[in-house]
Structures are given as structure tokens and as C-alpha cells.
Amino acid sequence: MAPPPYDAIILGAGAAGLMCAAVAGQRGRRVLLVDHAEAPGKKILISGGGRCNFTNIHTAPDRYLSANPHFAKSALGRYTAADFLALVERHRIAWHEKTLGQLFCDGSARQIVAMLMDECTAGHVDIALSSPVGEIGHDGTHFTVALPRRTVAAARLVIATGGPSIPKLGATGFAYDCARQFGLKVVEPRPALVPLTLGGDEALFRTLSGVAAEVTASAGKARFREAALFTHRGLSGPAILQVSSYWRPREPIAIDFTPDATSGWLLDAKRAQPRTTLRRTLAATLPDRLAEALADRIGLGELGATGDRKLEDAARQLSAWRFMPNGTEGFAKAEVTVGGISTADLSSQTLEARRVPGLHAIGEAVDVTGWLGGYNFQWAWASGWAAAQAV
Ligand code: FDA
């Protein structure tokens, strides 16, 4: 039998698959990159409001969620944000830092996809788009992949089909089915970086839809100081998206609406202006409608007519306001997926399955999920690069 024309077949032409294909191709590997979509990198195109927040200069393993918090260290340490930035600069793509170390294109996310496609061309990568993947076989040495008009084979198969977030962009749970077929475990996938919904008494907060404030939001030990936004379904905004990755059903989240307040601030306000109200005091730092809603719920009169104990209780409540979300907006609105192919079954150096030589999994398909702010693309680049060294 003639040897297969490819050394590696990579399933999924998203961020991780494109990087892996380009680097492996440039290392002299014969690579086939397959995607069921008609165009590569669809999530890259819509990311960062069309400008792609392509990395974060503060990338560090502690900004990732995984059942094994050490797993991402190796890949992240060997292909860094600076490495990706060097690639971006080599392609003369103008960029800027927005906030919190987040790097964006000045122009368009299309430039990142074009860059990765150019890199694939430089690596002589064959790309099969509009190619739904059928049956996958393995005879112990080669993997076979049934495509619409042919079956292809290679000694290496890389699962890079991402997670199920945003199905309307072509996202599927294919990676998990494929992993299970080869006996790899899957950590329960959950929507992450996703708005939270409020019901019951808290549904009243939905009347604040459109109001935003800088807060500190926390779920368990995770705390994020960023903007929170009230929506017609509940809570969103960067602070909420961040805590959503840590949130578990039937657990509360806490919001500090007064993150800059010094101890005794409400007592100080009472001494300075006894005739003022909590609403007016809060409106100095919070949007009017939010100040009103919070003050109404706490229900105090003029500060001067309120006892110090009550004011201290109110200050405490405002600094740790408990919400009991009744759910999330689900995979339809989730930027990423927490969970995925278990890191316990993969090598952190090569992303190769421990018990299935030649099978690799990279990117969002794996149980490694970054914070909001460019961390997820950095994982996609780093894990794609790491696997490319081994295929
Ligand atoms: P990705 O989802 O990119 O690629 C998977 C590929 O596999 C897709 O091309 C898909 O078509 C293909 N595929 C799926 N199922 C298949 C099947 N059965 N057969 C064949 N092909 C199949 N991150 C960040 O760091 N900065 C940001 O600014 C943003 N912004 C952002 C905005 C929005 C709206 C979303 C939804 C997500 C983000 N992200 C982000 C997250 C980021 O997009 C995500 O983490 C990476 O795209 C993951 O890269 P992967 O290559 O692993 O999967």
C-alpha cells in the first residue's frame, strides 16, 4: 500500500488548528487541515468586536481554569504572548493595548485570519473546507478520516474542533465525541464567559437593563474588578462574564457596588451631610437608576436620622450584594466552554493522548479555559504550537 500522503490531519480550522497546521507545515510535515465550515477562523473574525483581542501580555497559568491547574504551564511557557506578538508584527499588523494587557488589532480581525492562512501557505498546508467529518478509524498506526468524497489517512490526528459555544457559528461537541471514541475522558462542559440570568425577587433588577457600573464581582474565591451590566435577562459585562466561569448553579455571586469605599464611608457621609439620603450618596459614584434601586431595597431614611449600626449594615450589604442567578444564557451566548477533554489523558508537552499515540487535542476542546481578555486565543496559539512540535 502507498504511504498516506499526509503526516498529520488536523480537524478544525479555528485558532488552534490554523496555528498547529502552519507550524507543523513549516517544520516539513505534510498537513491536511479540515473544517466543516466554508471559511476558516470564524470565531477569530467576530472576536473582540471585530478587532480580535488576540493575546494578553499578562498571560500566566493562574488565569486559566482546568481540573489540573498546572497543565497549561508547559505550552504557555514555550509559546508566549510575546511570540504571538512577534508574528503579528512580522506581518505588519498594527495593534494596540486596550486595557488590562489586552492586545487588539487596530484594523480588523480579518488580518489575523489572513496572517494564519499565509503561514499555512508557507507551510504548504492542504486545506479542505466545507468538509464535514464522517467516520474516524484507527488501525494502531494510522488514523483514517472519512470526508465527503474521499477517505484520508495519517499517523497523526489532531482534534482542534473547539467547544460547543455559539452553535450558530458552526461550533459542535464533535471534539468530545471523538475523544470518547478513543477512550479519553471529558470533563463536563459548561458555558463560560456567559451572562447570568436572574429570576424571583431579583428579576426586578432587570428593569435596570442597560445600566453599567464598575464593581468587584466574586464567585467563591474568584474576584474581578471590572464593569457589570444589568440586562433584560439578568447580569452581564466583563466582571460578570469573568465570574460566570467559576459560578456553579445554586451558588450566589457577590457584587461590591462600592469597591473604592473606605471603612466607615457611610458614617462619614452622615456626619458631613445628615440631611442627605443613601440614594444621593450612592449617586455620587453609581448611575442614578442603580443608586435608586439599591437604596430602595435597603430602605433607609435620611442618613442623619439613621443609627450608625444600620448604616454599617447597609455599607456591608452594598459591598457584598448577594445575587442568586437562576442560570446562564447558555452555549448560545457563551464566549467559551469550561471543561472538555480531560488533561489527565493528555501530555502537557505535546498534547498527545497518553494511551493513543498519534492522537492530539488542542485549543478550546481541551479542559483549559482562560479568563476574558485574550487568554483563550493565547491558549489556542500555545497549545497548537506545542502539538505542532510533536506531529
Ligand atoms: P475554534 O472554535 O476557533 O475553532 C474550531 C473549528 O472547528 C471551527 O472552525 C469549526 O468550524 C470547526 N468544527 C467544529 N466542529 C466541527 C466538525 N464536526 N467537523 C469539522 N470542523 C468542525 N478569545 C480571546 O482570546 N479573545 C477574544 O477577543 C475572544 N472573543 C470572542 C468572541 C466571541 C463572540 C466568541 C464566541 C469567542 C471569543 N473568544 C475570544 C474565544 C475564542 O474565540 C476561542 O477560545 C478560540 O476560538 C478557540 O480556538 P479553537 O481553535 O480551539 O476553536
Side-chain angles (χ1 to χ4, degrees):
M1 197 178 97
Y6 297 112
D7 297 312
I9 299 168
I10 300 174
L11 303 179
L18 285 163
M19 173 59 94
C20 186
V23 175
Q26 291 178 29
R27 290 184 63 243
R29 299 295 179 267
R30 296 162 304 157
V31 177
L32 175 67
L33 179 60
V34 179
D35 204 296
H36 65 170
E38 71 295 351
K42 283 194 177 176
K43 279 194 186 165
I44 301 176
L45 292 178
I46 59 153
S47 67
R51 290 214 159 84
C52 186
N53 176 195
F54 54 78
T55 193
N56 194 298
I57 55 173
H58 303 309
T59 296
D62 64 357
R63 282 146 197 240
Y64 292 83
L65 291 80
S66 172
N68 176 358
H70 303 293
F71 183 83
K73 280 183 186 165
S74 172
L76 293 174
R78 285 182 297 144
Y79 190 86
T80 64
D83 291 323
F84 191 76
L85 190 55
L87 180 64
V88 165
E89 294 201 319
R90 190 144 53 74
H91 284 257
R92 300 183 187 286
I93 298 173
W95 58 274
H96 62 279
E97 180 180 341
K98 201 167 170 187
T99 170
L100 303 171
Q102 302 167 5
L103 305 192
F104 286 75
C105 298
D106 287 357
S108 159
R110 290 187 183 285
Q111 295 172 287
I112 298 293
V113 176
M115 173 186 87
L116 294 165
M117 290 297 277
D118 285 351
E119 291 288 316
C120 282
T121 304
H124 306 287
V125 174
D126 277 356
I127 302 184
L129 299 172
S130 304
S131 292
V133 176
E135 203 172 313
I136 296 177
H138 186 221
D139 65 4
T141 46
H142 289 103
F143 295 88
T144 52
V145 177
L147 299 180
R149 279 170 298 280
R150 58 186 168 142
T151 294
V152 287
R156 303 270 178 179
L157 181 69
V158 183
I159 306 173
T161 51
S165 56
I166 323 261
K168 71 170 193 259
L169 285 175
T172 66
F174 175 86
Y176 311 145
D177 299 339
C178 193
R180 287 192 189 102
Q181 176 185 338
F182 290 101
L184 275 58
K185 285 190 284 302
V186 173
V187 176
E188 184 206 348
R190 290 181 288 121
L193 300 182
V194 65
L196 299 172
T197 55
L198 297 176
D201 282 354
E202 292 175 338
L204 292 172
F205 278 98
R206 301 194 311 215
T207 59
L208 293 175
S209 177
V211 172
E214 177 155 337
V215 303
T216 300
S218 48
K221 289 195 183 112
R223 286 169 67 81
F224 294 91
R225 172 141 187 197
E226 281 187 76
L229 169 72
F230 289 90
T231 72
H232 66 289
R233 295 190 62 189
L235 293 163
S236 187
I240 302 301
L241 298 181
Q242 297 280 32
V243 294
S244 74
S245 302
Y246 293 86
W247 178 74
R248 294 288 188 157
R250 290 173 294 284
E251 284 182 5
I253 63 161
I255 294 191
D256 181 353
F257 286 109
T258 55
D260 291 321
T262 49
S263 133
W265 65 278
L266 207 42
L267 300 182
D268 295 343
K270 168 178 167 176
R271 313 269 182 262
Q273 283 184 295
R275 303 294 305 275
T276 198
T277 59
L278 179 59
R279 176 188 168 174
R280 279 205 292 273
T281 310
L282 284 175
T285 52
L286 292 175
D288 243 355
R289 282 167 62 203
L290 178 57
E292 182 183 6
L294 295 173
D296 279 359
R297 276 169 181 75
I298 290 176
L300 300 180
E302 283 180 0
L303 298 187
T306 308
D308 286 3
R309 273 278 287 285
K310 272 197 165 159
L311 290 177
E312 278 163 356
D313 286 348
R316 246 193 312 278
Q317 195 175 344
L318 287 162
S319 67
W321 198 284
R322 258 170 71 103
F323 286 95
M324 281 300 277
N326 62 2
T328 75
E329 291 196 25
F331 283 117
K333 292 285 164 62
E335 253 183 51
V336 288
T337 306
V338 160
I341 299 173
S342 173
T343 55
D345 290 337
L346 300 173
S347 150
S348 61
Q349 264 98 56
T350 59
L351 287 300
E352 186 172 8
R354 293 184 188 286
R355 284 185 300 273
V356 191
L359 180 68
H360 300 250
I362 57 175
E364 199 179 320
V366 178
D367 173 30
V368 173
T369 308
W371 287 0
L372 187 74
Y375 296 100
N376 285 295
F377 279 138
Q378 187 56 39
W379 167 247
W381 317 136
S383 59
W385 184 92
Q389 307 307 307
V391 299

